[in-house]
Amino acid sequence: MEVVPAEVNSLLPEEIMDTGITLVDDDSIEAVIVSSPIPMETELEEIVNINSTGDSTATPISTEPITVYSNHTNQVAVNTTITKADSNTTVKPAFPSGLQKLGAQTPVTISANQIILNKVSQTSDIKLGNQTLKPDGQKLILTTLGKSGSPIVLALPHSQLPQAQKVTTQAQSGDAKLPPQQIKVVTIGGRPEVKPVIGVSALTPGSQLINTTTQPSVLQTQQLKTVQIAKKPRTPTSGPVITKLIFAKPINSKAVTGQTTQVSPPVIAGRVLSQSTPGTPSKTITISESGVIGSTLNSTTQTPNKIAISPLKSPNKAVKSTVQTITVGGVSTSQFKTIIPLATAPNVQQIQVPGSKFHYVRLVTATSASSSTQPVSQNPSTNTQPLQQAKPVVVNTTPMRMSVPIVSAQAVKQVVPKPINSTSQIVTTSQPQQRLIMPATPLPQIQPNLTNLPPGTVLAPAPGTGNVGYAVLPAQYVTQLQQSSYVSIASNSTFTGTPGIQTQARPPFNGIIPSESASRPRKPCNCTKSLCLKLYCDCFANGEFCNNCNCTNCYNNLEHENESCLAKKHINSFSFKPKIGKGKEGESDRRHSKGCNCKRSGCLKNYCECYEAKIMCSSICKCVGCKNFEESPERKTLMHLADAAEVRVQQQTAAKTKLSSQISDLLTRPAPALNSGGGKLPFTFVTKEVAEATCNCLLAQAEQADKKGKSKAAAERMILEEFGRCLMSVINSAGKAKSDPCAMNC
DNA sequence: GAGTTTGAAACT
DNA sequence: CAGTTTCAAACTC
């Protein structure tokens, strides 16, 4: 199974992910694994209450439901399991100086709480009420039996709180008193009336049970987890299909703590997986299934969990039961993984990449209106709307490189996404929201398919696919993402604050627009001890990921964005403001924001940040012996020298360029034919004999001038004129030689 | 390229 | 806030 790094959730609104999973069409498997996410510190403050209906102000519901619907002949049993974290989690060195590493790099972390829903074959097994399941030593109690329209409630004993979660969440919340994630609610609707394929309407009012009976307190309610999964009927499959899933990520809400995430009662069409970790914001992933009209994404994704989405079924097979494996948590190299083989759903957009063995699918939440109000029963047999939404989008991939400005996750939503670069092409501008196409497979696999699109190309969604566009992602960034296997969670279009392009196009956190930072030449850093996560690092200080740097133990990259975000938060965000800002009224346009503090350099060396920025020191500088002021003779001298040096460099460069061009021109010319005069150039006729003869002529002219008593100037003139005649003679001979090869020999 | 100098950033 | 330490770039040899 492939792992998806947790960082992605906070970074990318929507992405294509290559789960790398070969889907086996096995109806017997239906599993939802929800592991406790590692809290993403950077997003905690940013999360916004998300409601797919577009009503973010609706009354919050204390639980995050994951409702599983099954129209698959009622023969659905739920086997819930809580598993420990994956042992493969990578343990990384601790951060220096107060930096707390995120769960992704803590030894424990990962899927401390995982709920696995396994479908069993016998219908009678549904009656599991009050059973206690002990997967991996943890208990999950079924408190409520899921009848038709009613959910099965699974509760975790309070004592079962995994230590891993505490560890991972502690850094984030800083509140060890938060009750552990103890309760998980699983609502299973194995209702026959829910027909396959089409919009599973989902939760009836009764199904919203999510709620209340098991909700002891506000704190606990925040920790509740509800799983809602709409299940599809079986359909024949043509074999394993590897698909790539694009997830639309919801905007983070700021209602991290003390607030409950609202889940709109009518969850229509689609599976909603939610997960919450004690002290961390709850997470809900909405994944539509085939035939589902509009899924609702109601929860917020705050944790940095890496969610891998399992490949979808072949797009053509809209109606079929699928293997559902959703893992929210770390796996092997990553922390969490979600694999959900899905059939084509209304909120699943298929992207066809010619030649690729993967099916690119982007999960998007349906429009608020359709998703929240359209019950399944109303249109059980038809699936027209989903089909429209799932209209395929053909894209091409191309490798690209560009600088990658960093922006903190919290800043993302506040900034209007911009095109990646000026060369961006807007295929269609009518769509307000743009999303990234991010191949998760190695570039060579997709490279041939998108070669026609330049970096930054924005692809508009196909008609009927909703207001979602695409942006071609530069290869560099893709590479980084691939290393982490990022996958973001679906975002609702109603979340106006959601960044359309969070990764590549997002502005750096220092406020510098991408175009500026991209155009600015940046020297590679050589950091060794700072991990490139402190302002010592120039890249980090400028809000950019290290790229082609010489740094060691670099954490200033996408792969370690958790740490990067933490570091950014650790450092006062104010520090990321550009050092060179605009001065006061009447002053120079550019001025160092803090002023320098030089003592020995006289502010005339690059040690001085003012001098380095080619600006003069101002009143806010605290430098000693400053010579970097307007009237300073030293400064003027240096400036002149610098200008002269610059001019010299330019001239040298121009000369080199010209010389290179001339050499190239000569090389491209046809080689002179030495054996025949036809192809000879004039200079080829200046043989030793010709040169001696010319010199003799010149000497004779000099002697003649001397005999005539000519002045020196006149003698030089006579010599030059003779030289000219000799030269013309050579040229004429050359010309004759071309027409008459024997001319030179005569 | 190694060593030194420098000043910003980080730490106490 | 001031003093000290750490760090990486600039500079020198």
Side-chain angles (χ1 to χ4, degrees), chain A residues 364-570:
Chain A
V364 296
T365 55
T367 58
S368 61
S370 62
S371 62
S372 62
T373 60
Q374 194 168 3
V376 174
S377 61
Q378 291 177 351
N379 191 8
S381 61
T382 61
N383 191 16
T384 56
Q385 182 174 359
L387 293 176
Q388 292 176 348
Q389 294 176 346
K391 188 171 184 177
V393 176
V394 177
V395 296
N396 291 326
T397 59
T398 184
M400 293 163 278
R401 296 186 67 84
M402 65 176 291
S403 64
V404 181
I406 301 171
V407 63
S408 58
Q410 61 271 21
V412 171
K413 72 173 185 177
Q414 298 174 352
V415 178
V416 177
K418 292 182 178 181
I420 295 174
N421 55 29
S422 60
T423 60
S424 299
Q425 297 177 351
I426 304 299
V427 178
T428 301
T429 58
S430 61
Q431 300 303 327
Q433 187 173 3
Q434 298 175 352
R435 301 184 189 282
L436 292 176
I437 296 173
M438 190 174 299
T441 55
L443 288 175
Q445 297 181 0
I446 60 173
Q447 177 175 351
N449 298 323
L450 296 177
T451 55
N452 293 331
L453 297 178
T457 298
V458 177
L459 299 178
T465 57
N467 56 350
V468 175
Y470 297 91
V472 175
L473 194 65
Q476 172 195 354
Y477 203 74
V478 172
T479 302
Q480 284 187 324
L481 290 174
Q482 288 173 346
Q483 294 175 353
S484 300
S485 298
Y486 279 98
V487 169
S488 64
I489 308 304
S491 63
N492 193 321
S493 61
T494 59
F495 304 151
T496 57
T498 301
I501 299 172
Q502 291 181 339
T503 55
Q504 287 306 92
R506 61 184 175 179
F509 50 68
N510 62 358
I512 300 173
I513 61 176
S515 61
E516 292 178 349
S517 61
S519 60
R520 182 186 63 252
R522 172 150 298 284
K523 293 178 292 186
C525 71
N526 299 303
C527 304
T528 58
K529 297 180 179 180
S530 66
L531 305 180
C532 297
L533 291 182
K534 292 184 178 180
L535 296 179
Y536 295 129
C537 176
D538 229 20
C539 303
F540 181 80
N542 286 280
E544 297 177 357
F545 280 139
C546 288
N547 183 24
N548 295 327
C549 293
N550 301 319
C551 45
T552 59
N553 297 326
C554 180
Y555 279 70
N556 186 27
N557 50 39
L558 188 60
E559 187 177 2
H560 299 88
E561 180 153 2
N562 280 351
E563 294 80 358
S564 178
C565 293
L566 255 184
K568 280 178 284 185
K569 279 198 169 185
H570 181 76

Side-chain angles (χ1 to χ4, degrees), chain A residues 155-168:
Chain A
L156 279 176
H158 293 276
S159 62
Q160 296 299 323
L161 178 64
Q163 182 178 359
Q165 281 187 337
K166 291 180 180 178
V167 175
T168 58

Side-chain angles (χ1 to χ4, degrees), chain A residues 611 632-644:
Chain A
Y611 181 81
S632 172
E634 293 87 351
R635 174 183 167 276
K636 291 180 179 178
T637 302
L638 283 176
M639 288 299 178
H640 291 159
L641 291 176
D643 292 341

Side-chain angles (χ1 to χ4, degrees), chain A residues 33 70 107 158 237 310 382 435 439 442 456 464 476 490 514 562 577 619 668 735 739:
Chain A
I33 300 171
S70 174
H158 293 276
T237 62
S310 68
T382 61
R435 301 184 189 282
Q476 172 195 354
N562 280 351
K577 290 184 178 179
S619 59
T668 55
S739 59

